[in-house]
Amino acid sequence: MSFLRNRNVQCLRLASKRYLNTQPSYYGHIPLNWFENAFLAVGSAVMSLADPRRGDMVAALGETTAGPALPKLREKMLASAEGRQVLKARPRVNSKTVDMVALSKLPAGTFGQSYFNWLERCGVTPDTREPVRYIDDPELAYIMQRYRECHDFYHCICSLPVNVESELALKYFEFANFGLPVAAISAIFGPLRLDSAKRSRLFREYVPWALKTGGNAEPLINVFWERRWEQNVEELKKELRIEDPPPARWGKPLSEAAREKRRRELLQQASTGTETP
C-alpha cells in the first residue's frame, strides 16, 4: 500500500510539473494553470462584452480560449513553404519594423501602397496590438501574435474600414479562415451592439460573404505579407482567392485622407523648420 501511495505521489508531482508550469517560457509570458486559465477566460469574456474597447481583455480572451486551434494553424504553416518561412523568420508588424516612407513611395496598385493608404484613410497605426502573455508554447504564442498583428492586413486586403459593422464582418471571415474561438465569440455577441438596420444588413450581406470568402481563401496565416509589398494588390487577392465584400461605409474618402496627411506633413515641416518639397 505504501508503494502505491508513493507511486501516486510521484504521478501527481509529474502532473504538477507538466500542467502547473510556473516558469516563464519567453519574455512577458505569464504561466497559468487550468483553473486560472478558465477563470481568466470567463472574466475576460465578461469584460470584453461589457467594453469591447478593452484591448487587453479581448487579447486575454483570445489566448485563454485558443485551445487546439493554434496547433492546427501551426500544422497549416508547416505544410506551406511560405508558412515555414514565416515561422523561421518570425517577423513583427509595428512602426519600427515597417518602413512607412518606403510604402508610401511604392507604385499605385501595389499591396504596400494599398496598406499605407488604408492606414492613412482609417487614421490608425500598426502599434496597437497587445503582446501575447498566456500561451505557454513560444511558437504557438508567436502564431497568435502574428494573427493579431496582421489584423490590419486582413482589413486592407478585404477592403474593409474600421467600424463596428466591418469589424464584425471581418470576425466572421477570420473564424472561417483561422478557426479561432475568439473570432466566433466576437461574431456571435458583437451584433448585439448594432441597431436593427445595421444588424439586418450584417447578416443579409456581410455574413454570407465572410463565411464563403473566408472558407474558400488560402490560409492567411501562411502569407509573408512583408515580402508582398510590391505585388499588385488585385493579383494578390486573386492568388489568395479573396472576393470583395459588399460596399462598406468609410469614415472619410481617400482624397480627404490624403489632404489630412498633407496637412500633418506641413505642420511637422513648419515646426522643424524644413522646407516643403
Side-chain angles (χ1 to χ4, degrees):
M1 293 293 292
S2 61
F3 169 77
L4 291 176
R5 281 197 300 270
N6 291 336
R7 182 70 173 175
N8 288 337
V9 169
Q10 289 178 341
C11 290
L12 288 173
R13 286 176 177 171
L14 289 173
S16 297
K17 290 181 180 179
R18 182 177 180 183
Y19 296 108
L20 303 181
N21 176 34
T22 58
Q23 296 299 317
S25 301
Y26 50 88
Y27 179 77
H29 175 220
I30 302 176
L32 301 175
N33 60 40
W34 67 268
F35 176 78
E36 292 168 334
N37 189 88
F39 185 82
L40 181 59
V42 174
S44 60
V46 173
M47 292 297 295
S48 298
L49 294 174
D51 185 3
R53 294 170 297 180
R54 285 289 303 272
D56 56 337
M57 290 292 97
V58 175
L61 177 62
E63 295 169 37
T64 54
T65 60
L70 286 177
K72 290 180 180 178
L73 286 178
R74 176 164 59 184
E75 291 176 4
K76 290 182 179 180
M77 296 184 77
L78 292 174
S80 161
E82 190 172 7
R84 292 194 297 271
Q85 291 172 5
V86 173
L87 281 178
K88 183 178 180 180
R90 294 197 180 186
R92 299 295 301 272
V93 182
N94 54 61
S95 59
K96 294 181 180 179
T97 62
V98 178
D99 189 342
M100 295 298 174
V101 175
L103 295 188
S104 69
K105 296 178 180 178
L106 287 174
T110 59
F111 170 64
Q113 195 194 66
S114 297
Y115 173 61
F116 176 82
N117 289 338
W118 183 90
L119 291 173
E120 289 293 318
R121 191 173 185 180
C122 295
V124 297
T125 74
D127 296 321
T128 58
R129 305 304 168 193
E130 291 285 329
V132 172
R133 296 185 176 91
Y134 305 112
I135 296 173
D136 292 335
D137 186 296
E139 190 169 59
L140 296 182
Y142 172 74
I143 293 173
M144 174 60 81
Q145 191 74 45
R146 180 67 175 174
Y147 156 76
R148 188 175 292 169
E149 290 182 351
C150 292
H151 178 75
D152 289 345
F153 295 153
Y154 316 145
H155 267 282
C156 175
I157 203 72
C158 290
S159 304
L160 288 172
V162 178
N163 56 48
V164 176
E165 308 98 284
S166 295
E167 286 288 351
L168 290 173
L170 195 60
K171 288 303 176 186
Y172 279 96
F173 175 94
E174 288 181 348
F175 178 67
N177 194 264
F178 296 90
L180 288 168
V182 66
I185 295 172
S186 300
I188 292 171
F189 293 100
L192 298 176
R193 300 169 55 205
L194 299 175
D195 60 37
S196 59
K198 291 180 179 178
R199 191 182 309 121
S200 175
R201 188 187 182 207
L202 173 71
F203 286 106
R204 184 179 67 253
E205 299 182 15
Y206 285 103
V207 172
W209 164 83
L211 295 178
K212 176 185 176 183
T213 305
N216 291 339
E218 294 290 333
L220 298 193
I221 196 65
N222 291 334
V223 182
F224 208 140
W225 300 99
E226 297 86 341
R227 296 181 180 177
R228 304 295 194 110
W229 296 135
E230 298 182 10
Q231 184 173 355
N232 179 275
V233 68
E234 294 301 324
E235 291 180 359
L236 179 58
K237 289 162 67 173
K238 185 177 181 180
E239 176 188 338
L240 299 178
R241 298 202 297 269
I242 292 178
E243 300 177 3
D244 286 333
R249 177 177 57 83
W250 288 83
K252 62 174 70 173
L254 185 56
S255 57
E256 182 182 337
R259 290 195 298 270
E260 176 63 18
K261 174 178 177 290
R262 184 58 177 163
R263 185 186 69 83
R264 292 198 304 270
E265 290 175 346
L266 291 173
L267 288 174
Q268 183 178 8
Q269 290 165 1
S271 64
T272 58
T274 58
E275 295 183 358
T276 302

